[in-house]
Amino acid sequence: MSVEASSATIKTFQKEDAPVEDLLDSEGLSISGYDTVIIGTSLVQCVLCAALARVGQSVLHCDSSDRYGRLESGGFRSVPEIVKFLKELAQESDVKICSSSSGMEEERGYSLDLSPLLVSSAQDGPEIRQLLKSGVHRYLEFQVIGSQHILTDGRLSRAPLGKADVFSSRVLSPMDKRRIMKVLRLAFDLGTSSSSLDGFSDGDGKNTVQTLNERTLASGRALHRPQNAEANAGDIVSLLPGGDTYNVPFDSYLKDRHGIKNNSLRSWVVDALSLSVDPNVKAGEGMAAIYHRMMAIRSYGSPTGMLGICYGSGEVGQGFARAGAVRGAAFLLRRGAGKVWEEREDHEGKRTLRMILKGDKNGDEYGAYKEDKVLKCSSVVLPANSIQSPSRKICQKTRLLRHISILNKPLSPLEVSIDRFSSTPAPEPTSIQSDSSGLIVIPPHTAGVENKHVIHCVYGGGDLHWTPRSNGVAYWSTTITLDEDESWDNDVLQRSVEHVLKQRNAAATTIAATMEKTATPAATSLLKDGVPLAQEDGGSSISDPKTLTDVIYEVHHVCYSVGDGTFADSDSMLEDGMFVCRGAPQATTLKWVFEEAERLFHEICPGKEFFLDHKIKGQNEDGNEENTAIDEEEEEDEDDAVLRNIEL
C-alpha cells in the first residue's frame, strides 16, 4: 500500500441537478466527501472507525485486502491459507515469511489468528471499559485463561500472580515470599494513592500524614492490608511521575530498594507479573502495571487476570467494524488507496485533502468497480508502513517475529513437585496442574533459547474454539534486533518451541514414572479407582499417568516477521489532516489497541469523548437537555445496517 503526495485528475461521477451534499456516485459513495477516510482495517483502525462514527463523523474505511484485520486478521482454517494471505500483504507492506510447512488441509474446526491478543479482565482497565462503552462486547464470547508459566532455571514453573499463589509456592523461600509481598502491597498502595494523596501535605509542604492507612481510614484496620501494615507515603510519592525512583530501571529498583538479588525472581516480577516487553521499563511504569494486573486477577474469577476471545481476536476487529457500520460508516474491501494530496478550494479558499481510491482488481469477478476515482475528505488515517518516499529512510533496527504452531494435542504445561508423590506424608491430596489455555513467558537470555528479548506464548485449543478438541495451537512472539553481522535471528522462536516442548515432554515422563513407583497410598487408590486427580486451580484433570507420556509435537507451523514501520521524518513529511496509525508492538493484550485508537481520535476530534456511553442527548418536557437511554427497539436493525453500509 503506497501513499504519495502528488496531484492527479480522475473522473468523479456527479449528478448536475442534485445538491452537492446529497450527491452519490454510481457506486454509492459521497461526492461531497467524507470527514475521515481510514486506509487499512487493522484492529486499531476498526476501533477508530467505530469511535469516529459514534460522534457523528462520516467515515469511509477502505482496504486493498479482501478480509478485515490486516496483520490482526483471524478466522484462518489452515496454515497454507495464512501463508497465502501473508504473501499478499508482503506485496505492499514490510512482511517477510521466514518459514512454513505445507500439507495442512483446511478444516472448519480451526479459527486461527495472525496476532492473537488477550483481554485484561481489570474492570477499570481500558479493554473492559471500551468494550462495554462501545457495545462490541455483545458480539464476542470470552473464556478465562487458566494458567501462566515462566521458563526459569531450565523448567516451566507456574508463575505466582497473587497472595495465595505466593504463599502456596514451593519454589520461593520464606524470605523471598516476604519481599514479593512487600512489592505487591506497595503496588496496590500506589494504584490507590491518586485520591488518597490529595491534600497530603500541609501549607508548609510538609507531610501531615506519614502512612497511607492513616490518610484513608484515619484509624482502624485496612482490609486490604493485614495487621494494618504501614505504607510510607514517601515510598509512594517517589514512584509517581516526577518522583525520585519513577525513572529508575525497574530491575535495578527491585534489586536495590527491595533486596531481590535473585535474577530469576526479578525476572518473574518484571517479565511475568507486569508482562513488560521493554528491557528498560521504568520502576513507576512497572509498579503501575503490577497494580492493574492485581485488579485484573480480582475480576471475573480469572486466576491470571486474562480472558481469551473465542474464535480468535480477529472477532474484535469485525465487531468494531459492525459497530461503525451501524453508525453510518462505509466499508470497502479490495479497494486500496493511491495518492493523497492537499488542495485549496477555489470558492472558499480552505484547504482539503484529495485521495485516489483504487479500483477493484477483481472487479470483473465480483461485479465491482475497477475504475480509480478521486475522493474528498478532511482527514486521512494512514498505516505506518504505507508511507513511501525516496527521501525517507526506514529507521529499522528491530522487527516483530511471530511463530504459529499447530500441535498434535492441546499444550498443557505441567508444574508438579516430585516430593508430593513421594512416600513422605503430604498435608494435601496429590495433584497435577494442567490447563488447556494459558500464557508462557520466556525471559531474555534464557539458556537453550538464547533470546535477546522476552518471548510470549499464548496457547489454547478447543475450549476457545481455536482448534478442534484433539489439537492445540500456540502463538509465539518476540522482538528481534540486528546482530553484529547485520543479520536477523529468525530461528529464535523455533528454538523456543523445541525447548518448551522438550521440557514439557521430559517432565511428563518423569512425573508418570514417579507416580507409578513412589506414589502415596492416597494417590495409588485414586489411580486404581480411575478417579481424576484433584485440581487446585480448576485445571484439566488427569486420571491416567500413562497419558502424560503422550508426546506433544508441532505438526504445522508458519513463522513471519514484520517491520516496525517507523520513519525518521514521518511527522515532518505529513500534510495537515494526515495522521499515521502506528504499527503493532509486541503485546499480549488489547490495551495498546485502545490507547493508539484513542490517541488518533483526539487528534482528529479534539475535545470530544472517546466512545460515549450508550446515551443520547434529548430534551425533557421543560425543554432542558437530558441524557436519555437509547431505545434498542427503535434502533435500525444491525444486520440491515451492515448490509447497507458495508460494500463487499
Side-chain angles (χ1 to χ4, degrees):
M1 187 182 299
S2 176
V3 179
E4 303 174 11
S6 179
S7 61
T9 302
I10 296 181
K11 179 181 178 182
T12 57
F13 303 89
Q14 302 185 20
K15 297 180 181 179
E16 301 273 340
D17 57 345
V20 175
E21 49 271 10
D22 296 332
L23 287 177
L24 296 177
D25 63 18
S26 58
E27 194 176 355
L29 299 179
S30 173
I31 294 177
S32 61
Y34 293 88
D35 293 324
T36 301
V37 174
I38 301 177
I39 303 172
T41 56
S42 71
L43 199 48
V44 171
Q45 291 159 318
C46 287
V47 174
L48 176 63
C49 176
L52 293 173
R54 195 172 187 117
V55 296
Q57 281 219 348
S58 58
V59 183
L60 176 65
H61 203 171
C62 62
D63 197 317
S64 59
S65 176
D66 60 355
R67 65 191 304 154
Y68 294 101
R70 307 292 292 177
L71 288 170
E72 289 90 42
S73 292
F76 295 96
R77 303 298 185 187
S78 67
V79 167
E81 186 181 4
I82 293 176
V83 173
K84 179 182 177 182
F85 183 70
L86 289 174
K87 288 181 178 179
E88 294 176 357
L89 292 181
Q91 297 177 5
E92 55 188 41
S93 58
D94 189 11
V95 177
K96 297 180 181 179
I97 300 177
C98 303
S99 63
S100 65
S101 59
S102 59
M104 180 181 180
E105 297 182 357
E106 292 189 15
E107 184 176 336
R108 292 185 60 84
Y110 286 95
S111 184
L112 304 174
D113 282 326
L114 284 182
S115 307
L117 294 170
L118 305 178
V119 178
S120 171
S121 57
Q123 295 185 14
D124 61 342
E127 297 104 307
I128 296 296
R129 183 173 63 252
Q130 303 302 350
L131 286 172
L132 292 175
K133 290 176 68 176
S134 65
V136 172
H137 67 284
R138 296 177 297 176
Y139 310 138
L140 306 174
E141 298 179 33
F142 304 91
Q143 288 282 352
V144 168
I145 298 299
S147 67
Q148 178 176 331
H149 289 75
I150 183 171
L151 183 63
T152 56
D153 301 326
R155 64 188 181 93
L156 287 172
S157 301
R158 186 172 293 261
L161 300 178
K163 177 181 176 181
D165 293 338
V166 170
F167 282 112
S168 62
S169 173
R170 293 176 175 268
V171 178
L172 300 176
S173 67
M175 187 58 68
D176 287 338
K177 293 179 181 180
R178 182 175 181 180
R179 294 189 180 104
I180 292 299
M181 286 306 303
K182 182 180 178 181
V183 172
L184 296 181
R185 283 197 299 265
L186 183 57
F188 186 92
D189 291 332
L190 176 66
T192 57
S193 64
S194 57
S195 60
S196 301
L197 292 176
D198 292 340
F200 203 81
S201 300
D202 57 20
D204 297 330
K206 298 178 180 179
N207 289 336
T208 57
V209 179
Q210 294 301 315
T211 66
L212 185 64
N213 287 350
E214 292 178 60
R215 176 67 178 136
T216 54
L217 296 178
S219 62
R221 183 179 298 275
L223 298 180
H224 65 275
R225 297 178 61 80
Q227 291 80 46
N228 202 22
E230 292 185 349
N232 191 290
D235 294 338
I236 298 171
V237 173
S238 66
L239 286 168
L240 296 175
D244 296 337
T245 58
Y246 179 84
N247 292 318
V248 174
F250 195 21
D251 186 81
S252 301
Y253 171 79
L254 294 173
K255 183 178 181 179
D256 300 334
R257 275 297 185 96
H258 293 275
I260 303 178
K261 308 296 183 182
N262 186 290
N263 293 334
S264 298
L265 194 57
R266 292 200 309 277
S267 177
W268 164 72
V269 176
V270 176
D271 300 317
L273 187 56
S274 70
L275 288 179
S276 173
V277 297
D278 183 2
N280 300 315
V281 61
K282 302 174 183 177
E285 296 172 346
M287 293 294 280
I290 291 177
Y291 167 74
H292 289 293
R293 189 74 188 278
M294 294 169 65
M295 294 298 98
I297 294 173
R298 289 178 160 208
S299 305
Y300 301 107
S302 173
T304 61
M306 299 289 180
L307 301 176
I309 303 169
C310 295
Y311 307 101
S313 55
E315 296 290 305
V316 179
Q318 296 192 41
F320 278 99
R322 169 173 287 194
V326 169
R327 299 285 177 171
F331 286 77
L332 289 173
L333 296 181
R334 300 188 298 274
R335 302 292 296 276
K339 298 177 181 179
V340 179
W341 69 97
E342 192 178 46
E343 189 172 292
R344 185 179 298 276
E345 295 278 359
D346 293 336
H347 59 286
E348 295 182 0
K350 69 177 183 179
R351 301 172 71 86
T352 59
L353 296 177
R354 297 289 193 276
M355 184 195 80
I356 294 180
L357 181 67
K358 292 183 178 179
D360 190 339
K361 60 183 179 181
N362 299 321
D364 292 339
E365 178 182 353
Y366 294 100
Y369 291 83
K370 297 188 66 175
E371 296 185 20
D372 293 356
K373 62 178 62 176
V374 173
L375 295 178
K376 183 171 67 173
C377 58
S378 299
S379 58
V380 175
V381 178
L382 312 168
N385 57 17
S386 71
I387 305 175
Q388 297 181 4
S389 173
S391 62
R392 186 171 303 173
K393 296 181 180 180
I394 300 179
C395 304
Q396 192 175 89
K397 297 296 183 182
T398 63
R399 295 182 68 86
L400 180 61
L401 185 68
R402 295 190 181 276
H403 186 107
I404 304 173
S405 299
I406 308 297
L407 306 174
N408 65 315
K409 59 183 294 187
L411 177 61
S412 53
L414 300 175
E415 191 255 328
V416 180
S417 296
I418 298 300
D419 61 349
R420 301 186 66 181
F421 298 100
S422 65
S423 57
T424 303
E428 50 187 327
T430 301
S431 68
I432 298 176
Q433 298 178 347
S434 172
D435 296 280
S436 57
S437 64
L439 176 66
I440 297 175
V441 176
I442 303 179
H445 311 294
T446 296
V449 180
E450 311 306 329
N451 53 313
K452 293 183 178 180
H453 298 269
V454 64
I455 296 174
H456 291 153
C457 170
V458 177
Y459 64 90
D463 56 336
L464 288 164
H465 305 283
W466 293 353
T467 67
R469 290 283 179 180
S470 58
N471 294 91
V473 61
Y475 300 99
W476 312 77
S477 63
T478 189
T479 300
I480 56 176
T481 56
L482 277 175
D483 295 332
E484 294 180 357
D485 58 352
E486 296 296 313
S487 62
W488 301 95
D489 185 5
N490 294 323
D491 299 325
V492 61
L493 291 184
Q494 184 62 51
R495 295 196 299 270
S496 67
V497 174
E498 296 171 355
H499 191 81
V500 168
L501 294 183
K502 179 180 178 181
Q503 192 280 334
R504 188 270 172 200
N505 292 330
T509 302
T510 302
I511 292 168
T514 306
M515 289 173 64
E516 291 180 340
K517 294 180 180 180
T518 61
T520 62
T524 304
S525 177
L526 287 173
L527 293 173
K528 287 182 178 179
D529 295 339
V531 179
L533 297 180
Q535 300 300 299
E536 295 178 345
D537 61 346
S540 304
S541 59
I542 301 174
S543 57
D544 185 359
K546 294 181 180 180
T547 62
L548 294 173
T549 60
D550 292 342
V551 176
I552 298 179
Y553 57 89
E554 186 180 74
V555 182
H556 301 284
H557 83 280
V558 58
C559 180
Y560 68 96
S561 66
V562 184
D564 57 9
T566 57
F567 300 90
D569 54 352
S570 59
D571 293 334
S572 61
M573 293 295 293
L574 294 176
E575 302 286 352
D576 291 340
M578 294 184 184
F579 305 94
V580 175
C581 178
R582 298 167 184 164
Q586 181 187 351
T588 306
T589 70
L590 289 170
K591 181 181 179 182
W592 75 270
V593 172
F594 292 110
E595 290 177 344
E596 178 65 5
E598 186 170 6
R599 179 189 69 83
L600 290 168
F601 176 85
H602 289 307
E603 289 185 3
I604 298 172
C605 300
K608 293 189 177 181
E609 183 179 351
F610 184 64
F611 280 120
L612 293 167
D613 291 327
H614 285 289
K615 293 183 179 181
I616 56 176
K617 285 189 176 181
Q619 289 187 343
N620 57 23
E621 297 178 356
D622 299 329
N624 298 322
E625 285 191 353
E626 64 177 359
N627 287 329
T628 307
I630 296 176
D631 188 352
E632 297 283 352
E633 296 180 357
E634 294 181 0
E635 284 189 313
E636 179 180 12
D637 181 77
E638 291 181 359
D639 293 332
D640 292 340
V642 172
L643 292 175
R644 177 173 59 81
N645 289 291
I646 297 183
E647 299 288 340
L648 298 178

